[in-house]
Amino acid sequence: MKSTILITGILLSAAIMGACSAGDSGSTDTMDHSNMSDEEIQKTNGEMENGHMSHTNPLALNDSSGENELALPPLLKPQNNKENIYTITAQSGETEIFDGIQTKTLGYNGSFLGPVIQVNEGEKITFRTKNELDEKTTFHWHGVEIPGIGDGGPHNYVNPGESKDVKFTVNQGAATLWFHPHPEGSTAAQVYQGLAGLIYVEDEQSKTLHLPNEYGINDFPLIFQDKQFDDNRQLNYKFAMNDDGTIGDTLLINGTINPKLTVGKEKVRLRLVNGSNARNYTYQLNTGDAFQQIATDGGLINEPNKLREITLTPGERAEIIVDFSKYDANSEIALLNENGAILLPFNIDEQKSSNPSDIPTNLNDYSVTNEERNLPVSKKLELFGMDNMVTINNKQFDMNRIDFTQKQGETEIWEIYNKPDMMGGMTHPFHIHGTQFKIVSIDGQEPPVSEQGWKDTVAIDAGETFKLAVKFNNKGIYMFHCHILEHEENGMMGQVEVK
Ligand code: C2O
Ligand code: CU
Ligand code: CU
């Protein structure tokens, strides 16, 4: 078995090299393919056809057999309703992912993954974080506008046995956000082993929309994470680790292997969360039918956006509504990825139903203002490299170096360029902590409708330049980095201090 794994490893790196040449969104492909097998070349070409290049996806995902009903993360109630205290404990444990086998995992308030924390705009809340692991961790609230001191970046360690309260007022609109650890050097490993949870924000306006919102009935979170299990069905991060992004052949959704989802004959909201270390997903229905996108990372978009596919890179989220009313119990409906792998088969239960829901035509009032469009660029970032040679502005992360400063409440234009390398380059999902930003332009053009909304993570393809309107409503030190977690570990990260 060990030798098979070794061979897979070699093929994998060859395929990664191959895929790199396809990175340049298919414009010029000058790489010499002579040393690649037909299969690898085919793979490379296949990935070029798929507009969004996927440098990190050479290892195919297994189809879900659909034998297990999807697990739903528990909703976390505040401990003391008046004070809105949410207790979140990082712990280790064992989880029966495969029938009859215990896999060692990490989780929040449980052995694997974490709860959904539901909060409302305007509420004062406390996250009471506890570390019951035997290593240091941090609690990072991805997408939350929170003072830097509570952001849970690498400066905010919680040592084993320690507890820390994070208090803040929710000051952003309805969105699907998430949380995960961020300790320097072990973020990727801790996330891989299971530390990730969700935060749902609601606001006054979102509650009046009658969107599907019955948790676990017509409103489901789907946390996509690919894993490579070893012979003993364990998640051995060191064994699976790849400097250019750790991927696996086995998909877990909400921690469930071979999941299926039972839905009613009605409109169903799916909150897609790419919680993978490195894998990209382009989601589509096997029927080719369209669905409606209603939200980006950080909020509802203005109008439902009819799509047949949507791509999420690590860290990104989107909410979509699939209308199952046109199918019946015998229909075979499934969510697939770009290669046609079955991610999630649906089971339609005609008895199951919820309160009638709507997809109103007006969901939000997001806009990029003229003022924002006319602001000069004040911060320039250049992303470059691959493997452990990844940099931002030619530098690797240094916790003792502040790369930029910005004034609280002031909008600045960040220009981010993903500089191609000799082999084309690769997509980097670029993320900024502590803020929801707007994409002003991509290579001088309007972003696609699917990205015209609040974002905290953007997929920047090789050769592309993004202009972002970035404003921090709080003070403190915030990270910005590539959300391929191994790139982040390898130093593709910097810090902005907001004063
Ligand atoms: Cu999900 Cu530093 O972020
Ligand atoms: Cu973050
Ligand atoms: Cu990267």
Side-chain angles (χ1 to χ4, degrees):
M1 193 62 205
K2 207 160 188 191
S3 61
T4 329
I5 285 152
L6 198 71
I7 290 163
T8 314
I10 292 165
L11 276 178
L12 186 59
S13 25
I16 287 176
M17 307 267 289
C20 281
S21 63
D24 198 359
S25 296
S27 51
T28 46
D29 184 14
T30 49
M31 195 209 173
D32 180 9
H33 281 158
S34 55
N35 59 351
M36 293 168 68
S37 74
D38 281 357
E39 200 195 323
E40 285 158 15
I41 290 170
Q42 230 180 19
K43 249 178 185 162
T44 304
N45 292 341
E47 265 146 28
M48 276 171 67
E49 273 161 30
N50 178 270
H52 232 98
M53 92 101 201
S54 51
H55 177 279
T56 49
N57 286 359
L59 180 64
L61 274 180
N62 296 327
D63 287 334
S64 168
S65 67
E67 62 198 72
N68 301 311
E69 188 66 35
L70 182 82
L72 275 179
L75 294 174
L76 183 64
K77 298 263 165 324
Q79 202 180 41
N80 171 333
N81 247 321
K82 257 200 204 138
E83 290 176 48
N84 281 321
I85 300 172
Y86 295 89
T87 302
I88 303 151
T89 305
Q91 57 194 80
S92 57
E94 294 190 328
T95 305
E96 193 176 330
I97 297 168
F98 297 87
D99 268 347
I101 298 171
Q102 297 300 323
T103 300
K104 289 197 172 63
T105 51
L106 304 181
Y108 294 113
N109 302 358
S111 71
F112 197 32
L113 296 175
V116 178
I117 305 172
Q118 282 176 307
V119 300
N120 295 294
E121 187 178 17
E123 255 168 17
K124 271 195 178 152
I125 59 173
T126 301
F127 290 150
R128 178 151 294 164
T129 64
K130 290 186 181 170
N131 180 5
E132 287 180 3
L133 306 173
D134 51 18
E135 57 183 320
K136 334 190 248 195
T137 192
T138 78
F139 296 75
H140 169 57
W141 323 101
H142 179 129
V144 179
E145 301 199 3
I146 189 170
I149 188 82
D151 178 64
H155 297 277
N156 309 132
Y157 278 122
V158 183
N159 287 311
E162 269 182 14
S163 172
K164 216 182 227 178
D165 279 2
V166 175
K167 290 181 198 292
F168 72 107
T169 301
V170 180
N171 194 13
Q172 64 197 108
T176 304
L177 312 174
W178 65 305
F179 62 101
H180 62 78
H182 225 294
E184 199 185 6
S186 39
T187 299
Q190 291 187 1
V191 172
Y192 189 78
Q193 293 171 95
L195 287 180
L198 298 175
I199 302 170
Y200 287 4
V201 183
E202 288 293 345
D203 62 35
E204 284 313 315
Q205 141 92 354
S206 69
K207 286 180 194 157
T208 65
L209 294 175
H210 298 115
L211 288 165
N213 69 350
E214 291 179 59
Y215 185 73
I217 299 175
N218 62 4
D219 182 358
F220 299 91
L222 299 177
I223 307 168
F224 293 86
Q225 298 179 308
D226 58 324
K227 310 282 179 192
Q228 192 66 40
F229 290 94
D230 69 10
D231 291 353
N232 300 318
R233 300 280 192 261
Q234 299 301 312
L235 289 170
N236 181 340
Y237 179 71
K238 284 205 183 93
F239 159 87
M241 205 281 281
N242 182 310
D243 265 323
D244 232 354
T246 300
I247 56 170
D249 61 4
T250 305
L251 178 69
L252 303 183
I253 306 182
N254 301 347
T256 306
I257 194 169
N258 288 318
K260 71 159 178 282
L261 177 60
T262 300
V263 294
K265 217 170 130 60
E266 59 183 352
K267 294 187 186 74
V268 171
R269 178 184 193 168
L270 302 174
R271 301 178 189 238
L272 311 174
V273 179
N274 185 344
S276 304
N277 281 44
R279 184 181 283 275
N280 303 333
Y281 303 84
T282 297
Y283 302 98
Q284 52 178 344
L285 291 168
N286 62 329
T287 53
D289 288 340
F291 47 81
Q292 305 278 351
Q293 179 199 4
I294 57 163
T296 50
D297 299 332
L300 296 167
I301 53 179
N302 286 356
E303 294 163 12
N305 177 27
K306 189 173 167 190
L307 292 174
R308 289 181 201 279
E309 60 171 53
I310 187 164
T311 299
L312 297 182
T313 61
E316 287 188 290
R317 288 91 59 214
E319 295 179 31
I320 63 170
I321 293 181
V322 180
D323 189 354
F324 288 94
S325 64
K326 54 187 176 215
Y327 309 122
D328 56 43
N330 308 318
S331 315
E332 290 199 353
I333 311 294
L335 197 63
L336 311 180
N337 77 351
E338 63 284 0
N339 298 320
I342 301 171
L343 308 179
L344 183 66
F346 296 101
N347 174 24
I348 298 168
D349 176 353
E350 298 187 6
Q351 311 305 323
K352 186 170 175 174
S353 77
S354 343
N355 297 324
S357 64
D358 245 347
I359 317 181
T361 46
N362 280 316
L363 301 169
N364 205 349
D365 54 1
Y366 167 91
S367 72
V368 178
T369 64
N370 276 335
E371 202 188 324
E372 287 162 339
R373 275 181 217 286
N374 294 328
L375 278 175
V377 170
S378 48
K379 292 189 170 33
K380 282 196 172 195
L381 290 83
E382 186 179 278
L383 314 178
F384 185 66
M386 58 183 290
D387 288 324
N388 53 5
M389 302 290 290
V390 279
T391 56
I392 298 180
N393 289 348
N394 286 314
K395 284 176 278 194
Q396 295 197 316
F397 181 63
D398 179 349
M399 229 163 112
N400 300 312
R401 183 189 68 229
I402 297 294
D403 298 275
F404 294 115
T405 58
Q406 186 160 333
K407 278 215 183 92
Q408 180 186 25
E410 245 170 53
T411 303
E412 286 198 35
I413 302 298
W414 292 37
E415 185 184 273
I416 303 147
Y417 170 53
N418 180 353
K419 184 178 163 189
D421 57 30
M422 277 159 56
M423 296 194 304
M426 61 184 289
T427 303
H428 297 289
F430 181 79
H431 168 53
I432 310 177
H433 285 205
T435 181
Q436 291 293 334
F437 54 73
K438 301 174 184 176
I439 304 176
V440 176
S441 66
I442 302 176
D443 289 339
Q445 309 290 311
E446 285 273 301
V449 178
S450 61
E451 296 188 288
Q452 293 180 19
W454 294 106
K455 293 286 291 171
D456 56 53
T457 308
V458 282
I460 308 185
D461 290 341
E464 279 185 335
T465 302
F466 275 56
K467 278 190 191 168
L468 309 177
V470 182
K471 184 172 89 171
F472 296 91
N473 290 322
N474 296 284
K475 290 183 183 167
I477 295 174
Y478 297 100
M479 305 297 126
F480 52 86
H481 59 90
C482 174
H483 218 286
I484 292 175
L485 295 180
E486 288 72 23
H487 281 184
E488 178 261 325
E489 296 290 24
N490 288 334
M492 202 172 208
M493 176 156 74
Q495 314 187 69
V496 54
E497 182 168 5
V498 181
K499 299 184 180 185

